[in-house]
Amino acid sequence: MGISPKEFLIKLVQKGVVDQQVASQYEVDSLKRNLPIDRYLLQYTNISSEEIMKTKADLLNVPYVNISTTAVDPQALKFIPQAIAERHTIMPYMYDQQAKKLYVATSDPLNVSLQDFIEMKTGSKAVLALALEEDIAKSITVAYTKNLSPEVEQALQQVAPAKPAQETPSIQTSTDFTNAPIAKIVNTILEFAVKSRASDIHIEAQELKTRIRYRIDGILQEKLSLPASIHESLVSRIKILSEMKIDEKRIPQDGRFNFKTPEEEIDLRVSTLPTVHGEKIVMRLLRKSGGMPTLQELGLDGSQLQRFEEGISRSYGIVLVTGPTGSGKTTTLYSVLNKLNTKAVNIVTLEDPVEYQIEGINQVQINSQAGLTFAAGLKSFLRQDPNIILVGEIRDKETTQLAIQAALTGHLVFSTLHTNDSATAVPRLTDLGGEPFLIASVLSVIMAQRIVRRVCDNCKETYEPPTEVQQKVKDVLGPVLPKQYQDGAPVLLTRGKKCEECNNSGYKGRIGIYEILRTSPAINDLVLKGASSHEIEQQAQKEGMILMKQDGFLKAVKGITTIEEVMRVTETS
């Protein structure tokens, strides 16, 4: 069944993906090139492949699956051998045990003879879902050879079928969770996390399966699907490792344990949460080796680095790092403390929690139940003869006033704030009880930051983006646009072609993008007058501040990241 270009493009216009004028151009061009409309859009436009395939699936009235980002169920793989999957370019990705349905990705979901062949071969009802042919070919290699699935499948074969949920006793016997296959599955999950540079592992109970997701380079990726029947055994195994109560399933719990590989040792912070279908587990991986990154390695360079180093080289004042949760503020502060850590200074930190231990620095962990809050700890710190103080977060009036007092009495104070940009930190401090004349006298530098993914070095390619994207780059960068593009030359950008090295994402590793506001007499005058964050930002720009989006676009033009990544993390600011 063919789809007319007009029908396809009307759907895209209705979704707001393209406007009517552009859609008409695409229709004419696809007919000139004698290409099916979906193939034309994939090859010659910037519309995402996912959007194109979703639209095609809607029009064909079939399911759609993004097989490159979908976790493959190890049970589904055993139904179709790799040779058959490669011959027909199909990918079994999920098996519903109760309904005896096998879900298979294909580029031709209306192929009835293919459906009959799969059903005859497997003895299960086949559900064909539309997927991009290139993605299917890549996923076959990964799933059958290099993914978690083979090791986990071997372990699953050794696990005895679990009893129905209603028959499961409230306290499990030790044989359930020390069971060797379950231990092997947990080890495989952890080993894969270390190899893939994951920062977090999410183990989530769903109605028909247990979903394993990894946060790799800041993005959650589903990598494995397990039968729901082994979920409780999996949770119990992790609870035992983390020294939690295995029979307590009604309230959240916290724990931690170490995991060693031949290359490194990992400290895992574990958190459980009761959900409708069972307990969810999140494990944060904290690497004990590898050293603290330098400011340059984090992504600071040129004038940005110079402005920040000038701010942190003072003997007193307040240095703030701002951004949402997960934007790398703690890592930046640890990097700064590591740089300033010498035998000549006394550094004390107050954190919630202490994530990395740095030799030579006195680190204190918050304990609210015992009365050790940021404010209480800061009061005690001033009697410890410190040169440098780090307060994990300024979140209330008392902490704000104590931090300002500490800076006024000759201490260098570092802290974080949850604001979208650097200029907004000033009115935020005022809202938290800081007097404008005191803020103006102690504030040294404010850094706002986000983290973007790096383009994979193994599969990167340079390309010339569409005219509208080039114009956007020039508009955003303005006076900081590199000289080679100021004479009208086309702006060249970089992207990843997707390879095994980067898990078919096109990205590998991360880097920060920054906005650094250094105080000056003019900015201090604005603070005293109670000026808005917009006025402060405008003055800072006149004095040479590069906005965060500009720093991101500069890194995109240099081939370090992509415009899409920069927009993803800055569009809320």
Side-chain angles (χ1 to χ4, degrees):
M1 172 186 167
I3 302 170
S4 73
K6 191 177 287 295
E7 188 183 5
F8 204 109
L9 291 162
I10 286 171
K11 192 81 171 172
L12 289 177
V13 171
Q14 287 171 350
K15 286 181 171 185
V17 177
V18 293
D19 60 35
Q20 187 57 57
Q21 188 178 352
V22 173
S24 301
Q25 290 172 0
Y26 287 165
E27 184 181 0
V28 172
D29 206 21
S30 68
L31 292 169
K32 278 182 185 174
R33 294 176 187 272
N34 196 25
L35 281 173
I37 187 64
D38 57 319
R39 185 50 58 185
Y40 167 79
L41 293 171
L42 286 166
Q43 284 183 19
Y44 294 101
T45 73
N46 280 324
I47 302 171
S48 74
S49 58
E50 187 157 16
E51 192 62 66
I52 294 165
M53 298 307 283
K54 275 183 181 174
T55 304
K56 184 177 179 179
D58 284 349
L59 291 167
L60 294 177
N61 197 25
V62 296
Y64 162 74
V65 61
N66 185 342
I67 199 66
S68 65
T69 59
T70 298
V72 174
D73 183 347
Q75 292 186 109
L77 287 179
K78 67 184 179 186
F79 283 95
I80 297 176
Q82 185 174 354
I84 290 176
E86 287 173 343
R87 191 184 313 143
H88 296 279
T89 319
I90 56 175
M91 183 70 222
Y93 65 93
M94 189 169 72
Y95 181 65
D96 182 343
Q97 229 164 354
Q98 291 179 350
K100 296 205 180 308
K101 279 184 185 176
L102 181 67
Y103 291 80
V104 181
T106 172
S107 59
D108 186 10
L110 299 180
N111 188 334
V112 178
S113 59
L114 175 64
Q115 186 173 7
D116 291 343
F117 168 73
I118 294 170
E119 289 180 351
M120 187 177 68
K121 180 84 181 165
T122 64
S124 299
K125 171 77 177 161
V127 179
L128 301 187
L130 178 69
L132 199 59
E133 190 169 358
E134 298 92 304
D135 287 350
I136 296 170
K138 285 177 185 173
S139 68
I140 290 170
T141 307
V142 173
Y144 282 96
T145 58
K146 295 188 177 178
N147 208 355
L148 283 155
S149 304
E151 294 92 334
V152 172
E153 174 57 27
Q154 288 169 19
L156 283 174
Q157 288 169 2
Q158 300 168 43
V159 179
K163 295 176 184 177
Q166 64 269 26
E167 294 177 28
T168 305
S170 60
I171 300 177
Q172 296 185 345
T173 62
S174 60
T175 52
D176 288 329
F177 51 74
T178 55
N179 180 316
I182 294 295
K184 186 176 179 184
I185 290 171
V186 171
N187 278 355
T188 305
I189 289 168
L190 295 174
E191 284 167 6
F192 185 84
V194 175
K195 284 178 193 168
S196 58
R197 302 169 291 102
S199 61
D200 301 84
I201 306 169
H202 291 237
I203 299 175
E204 299 163 310
Q206 298 186 323
E207 190 175 0
L208 300 174
K209 64 177 184 177
T210 291
R211 179 169 72 167
I212 315 290
R213 293 194 291 171
Y214 294 88
R215 191 172 293 282
I216 302 169
D217 293 335
I219 306 292
L220 273 175
Q221 299 178 23
E222 190 176 343
K223 291 291 181 183
L224 182 64
S225 173
L226 297 171
S229 57
I230 71 161
H231 184 79
E232 286 201 14
S233 298
L234 203 62
V235 169
S236 295
R237 171 67 182 163
I238 293 166
K239 279 184 171 182
I240 286 295
L241 292 170
S242 313
E243 298 182 350
M244 296 183 196
K245 296 176 183 175
I246 61 162
D247 57 334
E248 180 54 84
K249 303 175 184 181
R250 299 162 300 168
I251 58 172
Q253 294 187 67
D254 292 302
R256 63 195 309 157
F257 68 95
N258 282 355
F259 179 71
K260 288 183 181 178
T261 69
E263 294 80 29
E264 58 184 320
E265 185 177 354
I266 308 291
D267 188 22
L268 290 112
R269 254 197 1 243
V270 185
S271 168
T272 70
L273 182 72
T275 69
V276 174
H277 298 297
E279 288 177 281
K280 172 177 176 174
I281 286 185
V282 174
M283 294 186 272
R284 164 67 55 90
L285 282 76
L286 302 170
R287 284 163 171 79
K288 291 190 171 184
S289 55
M292 202 58 64
T294 64
L295 293 172
Q296 290 93 326
E297 287 167 347
L298 292 176
L300 281 165
D301 58 11
S303 62
Q304 297 270 70
L305 180 62
Q306 185 185 345
R307 288 166 76 87
F308 190 61
E309 285 188 329
E310 284 171 5
I312 65 174
S313 62
R314 292 174 60 178
S315 59
Y316 72 95
I318 293 180
V319 175
L320 292 175
V321 179
T322 78
T325 304
S327 59
K329 300 187 295 294
T330 304
T331 304
T332 298
L333 287 172
Y334 278 156
S335 181
V336 172
L337 291 186
N338 203 44
K339 180 182 174 69
L340 300 177
N341 185 17
T342 67
K343 291 178 181 177
V345 294
N346 176 23
I347 302 177
V348 287
T349 76
L350 192 59
E351 305 170 59
D352 184 21
V354 173
E355 292 202 4
Y356 293 96
Q357 294 174 20
I358 307 174
E359 193 176 340
I361 292 179
N362 306 289
Q363 294 172 274
V364 179
Q365 184 151 318
I366 288 295
N367 186 343
S368 301
Q369 290 179 332
L372 180 53
T373 60
F374 282 123
L378 196 45
K379 275 182 188 172
S380 304
F381 278 10
L382 296 177
R383 295 192 289 273
Q384 288 284 320
D385 185 32
N387 301 99
I388 298 169
I389 299 171
L390 181 141
V391 184
E393 186 185 341
I394 291 177
R395 56 171 71 152
D396 56 41
K397 183 175 182 178
E398 192 178 2
T399 310
T400 305
Q401 292 175 343
L402 282 165
I404 291 171
Q405 198 59 43
L408 283 169
T409 53
H411 303 91
L412 182 58
V413 180
F414 291 91
S415 194
T416 68
L417 270 181
H418 288 284
T419 61
N420 281 333
D421 54 48
S422 53
T424 310
V426 177
R428 178 80 179 124
L429 282 178
T430 309
D431 292 343
L432 286 167
E435 294 288 349
F437 71 95
L438 293 177
I439 294 170
S441 62
V442 297
L443 200 55
S444 174
V445 62
I446 307 167
M447 173 200 277
Q449 69 176 74
R450 299 289 189 280
I451 305 177
V452 293
R453 291 180 290 171
R454 282 176 173 271
V455 176
C456 173
D457 286 330
N458 191 55
C459 64
K460 62 162 52 174
E461 64 173 1
T462 303
Y463 71 103
E464 188 178 316
T467 310
E468 59 267 27
V469 176
Q470 294 197 44
Q471 192 55 51
K472 185 178 183 67
V473 171
K474 290 176 179 178
D475 291 345
V476 168
L477 290 179
V480 297
L481 181 72
K483 286 180 183 176
Q484 67 262 39
Y485 299 124
Q486 288 178 1
D487 58 358
V491 175
L492 298 178
L493 298 176
T494 306
R495 62 189 170 198
K497 290 188 283 187
K498 300 183 181 179
C499 65
E500 289 178 21
E501 188 85 15
C502 59
N503 283 318
N504 291 314
S505 67
Y507 299 96
K508 188 176 180 185
R510 293 194 287 173
I511 194 167
I513 58 172
Y514 303 94
E515 175 179 293
I516 294 164
L517 189 156
R518 280 280 281 121
T519 53
S520 65
I523 287 173
N524 286 338
D525 286 344
L526 289 173
V527 175
L528 286 167
K529 291 174 188 171
S532 69
S533 58
H534 180 64
E535 291 172 287
I536 294 169
E537 185 179 277
Q538 283 186 318
Q539 179 59 37
Q541 278 189 276
K542 285 178 190 172
E543 295 175 11
M545 181 178 84
I546 295 173
L547 295 176
M548 196 187 319
K549 189 178 280 188
Q550 289 178 322
D551 187 39
F553 273 41
L554 282 171
K555 286 184 168 83
V557 169
K558 290 175 185 174
I560 297 168
T561 187
T562 63
I563 295 294
E564 292 79 9
E565 266 298 283
V566 177
M567 296 303 294
R568 177 179 70 83
V569 301
T570 60
E571 60 188 11
T572 55
S573 55

